[in-house]
């Protein structure tokens, strides 16, 4: 069968959706602990790791330091042997990179075309296509992308997978894998007497307006959900505390993806500090136009890192006084600094390839811009989150972070750590079932599934 066979959906649209499903799976990968499952979906995990590496390399152009490539590969979980034997060759075949090796097979230089020969979602599909996934792996991807478009009964969900050219047994296997790795979820419907399958990305398709949908629900708790979702949309990077609302409802909204939460943690000086920031899933609707998909969470990482530097630094010890001024200068000049702490405080952004630290004299360093698209969007989010604050140059270079960010918890891991609360889960479960009805009506007019 053709890898992009998806009913009546155009080949380009089908490829984009399968590429995005791979990246959704890649974010879930660290939570997949069953060795048998990991072995069975090895091609998908390899594709995700390869594109995770490619995304980190984006913006570097030609790289003449093989060690830089190796270190980025480590951050993506790619061992050196696999880097040379599988990952670099398939990225080259898919026209994502080019590279040369010496007579001993060692890397001499690499040139990246990430986002140039297609956006990252399209390039992800090309890598997947060249690696040749099994039908069971394809069924898993289709299960992910179908559940991200609309909650469907289990029978309807399986029917949609088979319409993509797969057998009933393959469709059941794909759904089984999606539930085993917790990327898809099921909710019981007493009215339908059947399970309804969905995944947390369903809220970000743009097929149904979250605000309109929530407004049409009964009042009380639904109004609370609406306020939470609107706050996350209008002020990306708001803290949980600033968002307000009943804590159990906020937790349940995080659990099912109505809002996305990311947490920055620091243990500097023996003190454990953390801050959780919330975002709207509607960010995903712009993925087809963006070079770098936010399924990778780079923009969330950047914004959370900068805000943490402002909010969690102790007064009198140095902090980012004006995040807007700092990021504006970084975009305007391509670098900020020099400062001593730059060499130690921005390692998570370095690991993602968003910025690069360049040593200067006297033990100080500059922070160099690498991924302009991420930082530019980050500035827009900062302005939305903080308001249009003055951007005078005076505070732009105050870069010391008293509490250095050490860990970033992405929305997938955040969801996995939240326990279910009976009452709030019931609220959101009913919202999912109502969304199923609304999505069914939308599908009638604009079907992502084909007939």
């Amino acid at each position: 069968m053709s890898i992009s066979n998806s009913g009546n959906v155009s080949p380009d649209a089908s490829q984009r959706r399968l590429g995005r499903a791979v990246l959704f799976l890649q974010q879930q990968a660290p939570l997949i602990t069953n060795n048998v499952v990991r072995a069975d979906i090895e091609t998908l995990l390899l594709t995700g790791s390869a594109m995770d590496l490619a995304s980190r390399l984006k913006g570097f152009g030609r790289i003449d330091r093989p060690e830089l490539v190796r270190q980025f590969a480590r951050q993506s979980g790619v061992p050196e042997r696999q880097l040379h034997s599988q990952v670099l060759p398939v990225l080259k075949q898919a026209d994502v990179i080019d590279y040369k090796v010496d007579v001993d097979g060692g890397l001499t230089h690499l040139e990246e075309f990430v986002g140039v020969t297609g956006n990252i979602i399209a390039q992800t599909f090309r890598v997947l296509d060249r690696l040749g996934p099994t039908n069971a792996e394809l069924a898993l991807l289709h299960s992910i992308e179908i559940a991200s478009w609309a909650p469907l009964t289990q029978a309807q969900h399986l029917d949609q997978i088979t319409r993509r050219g797969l057998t009933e047994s393959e469709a059941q296997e794909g759904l089984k894998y999606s539930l085993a790795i917790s990327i898809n979820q099921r909710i019981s419907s007493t009215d339908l007497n059947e399970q309804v399958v969905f995944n947390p990305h369903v809220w970000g398709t743009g097929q149904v307006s979250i605000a309109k949908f929530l407004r049409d629900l009964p009042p009380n708790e639904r109004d609370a959900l609406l306020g939470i979702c609107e706050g996350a949309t209008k002020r990306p990077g708001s803290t949980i505390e600033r968002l307000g609302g009943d804590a159990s409802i906020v937790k349940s909204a995080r659990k099912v993806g109505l809002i996305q939460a990311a947490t920055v943690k620091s243990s500097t000086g023996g003190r454990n500090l953390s801050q959780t920031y919330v975002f709207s899933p509607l960010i995903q609707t712009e993925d087809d136009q963006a070079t770098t998909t936010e399924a990778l969470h780079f923009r969330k990482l950047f914004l959370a890192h900068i805000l943490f530097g402002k909010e969690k630094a102790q007064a009198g010890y140095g902090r980012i006084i004006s995040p807007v001024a700092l990021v504006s200068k970084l975009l305007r000049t391509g670098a900020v600094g020099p400062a001593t702490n730059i060499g130690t405080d921005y390692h998570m952004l370095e690991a993602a390839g968003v910025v690069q630290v360049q040593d200067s004299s006297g033990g100080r360093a500059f922070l160099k811009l690498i991924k302009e698209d991420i930082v530019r969007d980050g500035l827009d989010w900062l302005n939305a989150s903080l308001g249009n604050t003055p951007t005078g140059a005076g505070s732009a270079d105050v870069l010391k972070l008293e509490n250095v960010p050490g860990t970033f918890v992405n929305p997938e891991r955040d969801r996995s750590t939240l326990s279910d609360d009976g009452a709030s889960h019931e609220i959101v479960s009913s919202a999912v079932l109502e969304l199923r009805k609304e999505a069914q009506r939308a599908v009638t007019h604009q079907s992502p599934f084909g007939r």
Side-chain angles (χ1 to χ4, degrees):
M1 63 168 287
S2 168
I3 190 173
S4 57
N5 181 5
S6 296
N8 292 337
V9 182
S10 72
D12 286 346
S14 176
Q15 291 172 14
R16 285 195 303 269
R17 287 165 54 194
L18 286 177
R20 186 182 287 113
V22 171
L23 297 176
F24 287 160
L25 178 60
Q26 169 64 15
Q27 299 307 310
Q28 196 78 14
L31 306 176
I32 305 173
T33 57
N34 187 302
N35 287 335
V36 173
V37 173
R38 293 190 70 90
D40 287 351
I41 62 172
E42 183 267 343
T43 303
L44 306 184
L45 295 177
L46 178 59
T47 303
S49 295
M51 287 309 300
D52 185 276
L53 168 60
S55 300
R56 294 172 193 267
L57 296 174
K58 181 182 180 297
F60 281 88
R62 180 185 169 100
I63 300 174
D64 294 313
R65 294 168 47 212
E67 179 62 16
L68 181 63
V69 178
R70 190 176 76 86
Q71 291 301 328
F72 275 130
R74 292 179 66 205
Q75 294 292 332
S76 299
V78 177
E80 188 166 8
R81 184 172 303 190
Q82 188 181 57
L83 173 68
H84 290 284
S85 65
Q86 292 181 294
V87 172
L88 292 181
V90 76
L91 288 175
K92 182 174 181 176
Q93 292 165 17
D95 202 22
V96 178
I97 65 167
D98 193 14
Y99 66 96
K100 298 293 183 184
V101 297
D102 57 27
V103 292
D104 298 318
L107 184 67
T108 60
H109 71 269
L110 179 148
E111 189 168 2
E112 57 85 13
F113 312 124
V114 186
V116 176
T117 60
N119 66 19
I120 287 177
I121 290 175
Q123 290 178 327
T124 300
F125 176 82
R126 295 210 302 264
V127 171
L128 173 71
D129 196 25
R130 280 156 181 78
L131 285 173
T134 65
N135 279 2
E137 289 175 313
L138 281 178
L140 168 57
L141 288 184
H142 285 306
S143 181
I144 293 170
E145 58 97 6
I146 289 167
S148 73
W149 270 93
L152 299 173
T153 66
Q154 184 163 313
Q156 291 170 328
H157 183 91
L158 291 170
D159 177 63
Q160 290 297 331
I161 299 176
T162 59
R163 293 190 187 197
R164 284 148 172 80
L166 293 154
T167 66
E168 290 185 11
S169 62
E170 290 166 346
Q172 291 171 350
E173 198 167 5
L175 175 59
K176 178 185 68 176
Y177 283 132
S178 76
L179 297 170
I181 64 180
S182 299
I183 196 167
N184 282 353
Q185 301 176 28
R186 284 187 295 195
I187 290 176
S188 296
S189 169
T190 53
D191 289 342
L192 298 169
N193 194 29
E194 195 174 348
Q195 300 273 358
V196 171
V197 180
F198 81 104
N199 80 37
H201 300 287
V202 68
W203 307 100
T205 62
Q207 183 183 198
V208 173
S209 165
I210 291 178
K212 179 182 181 301
F213 163 70
L214 290 175
R215 285 195 190 99
D216 291 341
L217 291 176
N220 301 327
E221 292 90 349
R222 309 311 193 270
D223 290 342
L225 281 174
L226 176 60
I228 290 166
C229 294
E230 286 187 330
T233 300
K234 292 176 181 177
R235 298 185 300 275
S238 293
T239 63
I240 289 288
E241 294 77 16
R242 184 181 176 189
L243 197 65
D246 183 273
S248 64
I249 296 177
V250 172
K251 183 180 76 171
S252 194
R254 290 160 65 185
K255 184 77 174 176
V256 297
L258 263 168
I259 58 174
Q260 297 180 341
T263 300
V264 175
K265 297 181 178 181
S266 170
S267 58
T268 305
R271 297 183 305 121
N272 293 316
L273 296 172
S274 67
Q275 187 69 281
T276 298
Y277 303 93
V278 294
F279 303 87
S280 169
L282 293 174
I283 295 165
Q284 178 187 312
T285 60
E286 300 176 0
D287 265 4
D288 289 344
Q289 288 74 45
T291 302
T292 307
T293 169
E294 191 47 26
L296 298 168
H297 305 310
F298 285 170
R299 293 167 179 81
K300 298 181 188 72
L301 172 65
F302 178 77
L303 183 65
H305 197 107
I306 298 299
L307 288 176
F308 191 84
K310 173 180 172 61
E311 295 162 356
K312 289 300 181 180
Q314 285 185 302
Y317 286 88
R319 67 174 71 185
I320 297 177
I321 301 298
S322 173
V324 173
L326 168 65
V327 177
S328 296
K329 182 174 182 182
L330 183 60
L331 279 168
R332 188 173 63 252
T333 66
V336 290
T340 302
N341 60 293
I342 286 179
T344 59
D345 288 5
Y346 294 85
H347 60 277
M348 283 199 295
L349 290 179
E350 265 202 292
V354 176
V355 297
Q356 186 178 30
V357 172
Q358 291 188 333
D359 292 334
S360 182
S361 58
R364 301 194 298 171
F366 284 91
L367 197 66
K368 180 184 176 183
L369 174 65
I370 298 296
K371 290 181 172 49
E372 182 179 350
D373 57 335
I374 301 299
V375 176
R376 188 171 301 282
D377 288 345
L379 178 59
D380 290 340
W381 289 10
L382 273 173
N383 278 312
S385 181
L386 300 176
N388 291 313
T389 56
T391 58
S395 61
D397 284 342
V398 182
L399 291 166
K400 183 175 180 180
L401 305 185
E402 172 64 15
N403 303 301
V404 180
T407 305
F408 179 71
V409 180
N410 67 19
E412 286 78 13
R413 189 173 292 275
D414 176 72
R415 286 194 290 267
S416 74
T417 60
L418 296 174
S419 59
D420 288 321
D421 177 273
S424 61
H425 182 69
E426 182 179 349
I427 293 168
V428 179
S429 293
S430 63
V432 170
L433 295 176
E434 286 297 325
L435 178 64
R436 187 193 78 86
K437 298 176 185 176
E438 183 68 24
Q440 291 284 76
R441 289 191 285 270
V443 164
T444 303
H445 299 96
Q446 184 181 355
S447 173
F449 306 123
R451 300 292 181 184

